């Protein structure tokens, strides 16, 4: 199986909390319709046809994001969102 890689990840503070967004890739190619979930919660979303996703987070804090898609080994990435801060991970 091919491993999923997170190409870019950014947090943006908003009035209703934090947002995490990015593009799910594998070997430089986008992974369409990949699932992105916050570990140990019911929060999640699906990437679009270009592998892009956006997910609202309820509060500032540290989260483990889980990425999965058919035919790919799942991947995890820990991220920290601080109130009022924009964080970009490449």
């Amino acid at each position: 199986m091919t491993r999923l890689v997170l190409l870019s990840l950014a947090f943006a503070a908003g009035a209703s909390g934090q947002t995490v967004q990015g593009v799910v890739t594998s070997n430089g190619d986008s992974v369409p319709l990949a699932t992105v979930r916050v570990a140990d919660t019911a929060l999640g979303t699906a990437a679009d046809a270009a592998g892009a996703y956006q997910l609202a987070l309820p509060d500032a804090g540290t989260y483990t994001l889980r990425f999965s898609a058919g035919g790919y080994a799942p991947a995890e990435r820990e991220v920290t969102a601080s109130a009022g801060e924009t964080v970009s991970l490449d």
Side-chain angles (χ1 to χ4, degrees), residues 35-39 41-47 53-57 65-66:
T35 300
V36 182
R37 300 198 54 84
V38 178
T41 75
L43 299 174
T45 191
Y53 67 92
Q54 185 173 28
L55 179 63
L57 300 173
L65 300 181
R66 293 184 176 154

Side-chain angles (χ1 to χ4, degrees), residues 1-4 66-69 72-76:
M1 275 193 217
T2 304
R3 185 175 177 113
L4 293 175
R66 293 184 176 154
F67 302 88
S68 61
Y72 296 87
E76 289 188 355

